[in-house]
Every structure is written in structure tokens, then in C-alpha cells.
Amino acid sequence: MNKDFNTAKSNKDPNESAKKVDKAVAEVFNDKGLNLRAVNTLCRERNITKEEIIEIIAQPVKEACIEALGAYSDVKVTLTMDKGKLTVKSSKLVVDDVYDDAEEISYSDAKKINSRCVIGDRIMADVNPSEYTAEAAYAAREALTKSFHEKELVEAISCICEEKNINPEVILDAIEAALTAAYRKNFNSYENVSVTINRQNGKVVVMAKKQVVEEVYDDQEEISLEDARNINAVYNYGDIVNVEVTPKNFGRIAAMTAKQVVTQRIREAERGIIYSEYNGKKDDIVTGTVSRIERGSVYIDLGDTEVLLSEKEQPKGEIYEIGQRLKCYISSVKSDMRSTQVIISRTHPGLVRKLFELEVPEISDGIVTIKGVSREAGSRTKIAVYSEDPSIDAQGACIGPKGTRVQNIGDELRNEKIDIIKWSEDPAEFISASLSPSEVISVEVDEAKKSAKVIVPEQQLSLAIGKSGQNVRLAAKLTGWKIDISSAAV
């Protein structure tokens, strides 16, 4: 996730662009205000306007200047929109002799500002830039860095969600909920706060609902009428006011929380998407590519997820290579709080059934029906087929012209032998056919016990039983009957 999160940013050279942005942010502010050369670099590299930059830094710069000039009276800070010039003035008393330049201005200097002033007047005069430039520059850098990180957050979430087919609102809503909880925990807040993320610029804002009261006893839940009307003049006693209470250091908490939530929610969403997609493909075939092999386990890349083909789901004797394309059967899909597991198999009888459905049009069209499949993967399979239409040769349709259809399926199963059996409602006839390729003389069935006694020619006995009893074992599994075989000589 961290790789996705950090790379889903821009098509530009990330290293070169980052260096230019870092240098421009470091030099964006000086004693005269904005450094226009640095501003132009930011506008070009971050696709942002000068007006947007000023809007981002204006309030933090003003607050930093006012805080730096705490000894001054009635400080006024302006940051002009045209050239980004910073002007800081404070109210000073006009005097003959200056003893405190934070509060006083000489009569001669005051006359240069206002020719009509007299001793004892108060006048708004410029403050020496050296007294606030460092603080203002730091505030500007912090504000820009925070804004860029917030915007990158939204852009990264948007890119990742688009790539993984996830609704961004799911992620952003979860981040807002997590940030609200984080604020309450870290700032000992009440339940009256909420955190919102601007969907365009990523700005994180903490808002508190406060009631307008005559006298404030709890500033976390109450606000004076004067302060409320500074926000909006329409407020009156008893009204609920939304007040921004975003802490200055909340950006770090927001960034850490956001990454954790994004990682968690994307994993959850991916699990849900994978489960929904592959649960719908249960009992079907998927085609993938062997991506890696570790200690006998084969990992198959299905495009949107990687699944494990465990050793027990691999036919004996099959050898796999990296990059090899394989068809696998989805036997089940499991999901829990930690992961979604797509269980695939190449040993399941369903793989053979689905391969015949893909290869034989008569089966997919419903003309020929597969009645049963018994299989010992990697060695031999018996499949029973039937058609309601007497003019249709069900076995011939599955074999195909010159055996091409069954040959293609055999190739996919790495030359596994396949016996195509004609299904019959008559148990004796079906059992006889299931023992192919052995000839059968007679079949005596006991329907009560669902068992059958089969007589075969003496020279066919070993063929009917098969190597290690495989042929009769597969026949019994296919028919559902217990089969006892003996030769005609007995």
C-alpha cells in the first residue's frame, strides 16, 4: 500500500520536481513578502496560481506576525494580492523622545506618515521587518508544505481508487471518522467536533459545534455572542455555531492517520471486490499465469489478484514453469476479516466438466449433457455423457472430428487419459459401459444393495480392474454402484 500511496502522484520526474518544489518553498518568503521567482516555480511545478498561494499562506503569515509582535499594540497585517507584498503596521504613540519603539514613534517620523499628527496622537506605523520576517517565512513554508501534502493525499487516494476500482468517498469518509476520533483522543475534546476533508484541495478542517451563551464557562462547548457574531452577524443567544478549531500541529496527526486508514480500507475494499468477483465464478474455470513457485506451491496471477495452487490441488506429475498459462477450477471462495481466499484446483473433477463445456458446443448448447465425472487427477478420468436426441451421438460430439476435441482437453490436462462413457438409465448397461475399455459379458445388479456382479472375459480381467484397481474404482465412483468383477472362467 505504501508503494501505491507514494507513487500515485504525478507523471513528472518525481526527484527533479520535488527538489524544485522544496527549494521554492524554502525561498518563498523574505523581508519584503513573497519571492516571486520562487512563487513562479511553485505555480509551474505544482499547477497552482499565485492567488492560490497567497490564499494558502495569508492567514498563517498574519497570525505569525501578530504572535511575533506580541509587545506591540493594535497590529495590522496585510499581504497584497497583486505583488505579494507584506506590510505590517502597529499603533504607536507620537512622542518627542522614543523610549519604547514597540509602542512609540518620534514626532518627526510620524509627520512623514501623517503631516497633521501632533504629540500624543496614535498612528499606524510600519514595523521593522527584522522583527517578524523569520516567523512569517516559517509560517508560509509550513502552510504551503501542509497544503501540498493535503492535496497530494486526495490526489493519491483518487489515483489508487481509480486503479483498484474503489469509490474514493468510502476512503475519505473513513479518514474523516478516524481523524475525528484522533482529535478527540489527542486534544481531550468532547463529542461536539467533526473533521472534514475538502475533496478538491485536501484541506483538513476541525469544526466544533458551540452554543451561544451570555457567559462562557466551557469554551469547548460554548461561545460568547460577540465571538459568534464575528463569524456571522445573524447569530443570537441559544444558537449553535460551527467554529473552526483546527490545531496548528494537526497536519502530522492527519497524515499518519490517513495512511493507516487508506491502507486498511483499501485492503478491505479489495477483499470485498475480489470476493464478489470470484464468488460469482465459483465452480467455473479461470485462466492465469504462473508468477512464482515456492516450495512446491504455485502462485497464479489472475490479473487482479494472485492465488495459490497448493500441492494437494496439483495433479501428480505436473511440472510448472514461470510464465506458463494454466486453466484452473475455482472450488471455493472464503473471506474473513484478514483476507479473501480463492481456492483453485487442477485436481477437481469440475475442471474436466468445464473443459468439456468450453470445448464441445453441443454441451454448452444443452444438446449433450454431462451426467457424471470421476477422476484420479494426472492419470485417468471417466466422463458419462447423454443426449435426449437419439440422432445425436453424445460420445462422438465429445470426441470431435478425428478426436480433436478430446485431444485438446487431454493436452490441457497434460495427457491425462479420458474415457468418454455413454450414460444409460439401465444400471447394467451403464455399469458395463463404465468399465471401458474392457469388454463385459454380463452384469447382475442388486438394486437393494446397489451392487453389481460383473463377468468379463478371462483375458480382459486385468484390463477391467485396471492398474492398482483404478479402472473399476473410477467406474464405481462414476456409476455410484459397488462393482465386483470376476472372469468367465470362475
Side-chain angles (χ1 to χ4, degrees), residues 18 20 29 36 61 100 105 108 143 154 200 222 224 230 316 380 422 430:
K20 289 180 180 179
F29 214 86
L36 294 184
V61 165
D100 183 358
I105 185 172
S108 59
V154 173
Q200 277 69 50
E222 299 171 339
S224 68
N230 285 335
K316 290 181 180 179
R380 195 182 200 106
K422 182 180 179 181
F430 185 28

Side-chain angles (χ1 to χ4, degrees), residues 148-259:
F148 292 161
H149 285 172
E150 289 172 340
K151 190 171 183 180
E152 285 174 352
L153 170 66
V154 173
E155 290 174 348
I157 290 173
S158 178
C159 289
I160 294 169
C161 289
E162 182 178 353
E163 176 187 336
K164 299 183 180 295
N165 195 27
I166 300 169
N167 185 352
E169 284 300 312
V170 173
I171 306 297
L172 291 169
D173 288 347
I175 294 174
E176 288 175 340
L179 289 178
T180 299
Y183 179 85
R184 290 171 181 165
K185 177 181 177 182
N186 287 276
F187 297 92
N188 299 318
S189 175
Y190 298 150
E191 296 294 314
N192 62 328
V193 296
S194 61
V195 178
T196 59
I197 300 173
N198 186 296
R199 275 28 178 186
Q200 277 69 50
N201 58 30
K203 184 178 180 181
V204 177
V205 178
V206 184
M207 302 296 291
K209 293 184 181 296
K210 298 186 179 183
Q211 187 174 26
V212 182
V213 295
E214 291 187 32
E215 189 171 353
V216 175
Y217 293 100
D218 185 348
D219 61 4
Q220 287 198 28
E221 292 195 318
E222 299 171 339
I223 186 173
S224 68
L225 181 62
E226 180 183 356
D227 289 341
R229 286 183 174 174
N230 285 335
I231 298 172
N232 193 320
V234 302
Y235 286 123
N236 213 330
Y237 291 119
D239 290 345
I240 301 298
V241 182
N242 282 317
V243 182
E244 183 177 350
V245 292
T246 311
K248 289 184 179 179
N249 63 339
F250 195 58
R252 178 181 58 84
I253 296 172
M256 291 174 59
T257 303
K259 282 196 174 185

Side-chain angles (χ1 to χ4, degrees), residues 366-395:
I367 300 171
V368 173
T369 304
I370 298 175
K371 288 293 189 177
V373 179
S374 63
R375 184 184 184 204
E376 292 188 359
S379 179
R380 195 182 200 106
T381 289
K382 287 182 182 288
I383 180 170
V385 295
Y386 175 75
S387 177
E388 294 284 353
D389 187 343
S391 66
I392 299 295
D393 179 4
Q395 289 173 285

Side-chain angles (χ1 to χ4, degrees), residues 275-296:
Y275 180 81
S276 297
E277 178 179 353
Y278 287 97
N279 194 49
K281 294 179 180 179
K282 185 175 175 292
D283 299 324
D284 206 345
I285 283 181
V286 289
T287 302
T289 304
V290 177
S291 56
R292 55 195 173 102
I293 303 172
E294 296 179 1
R295 298 179 181 179

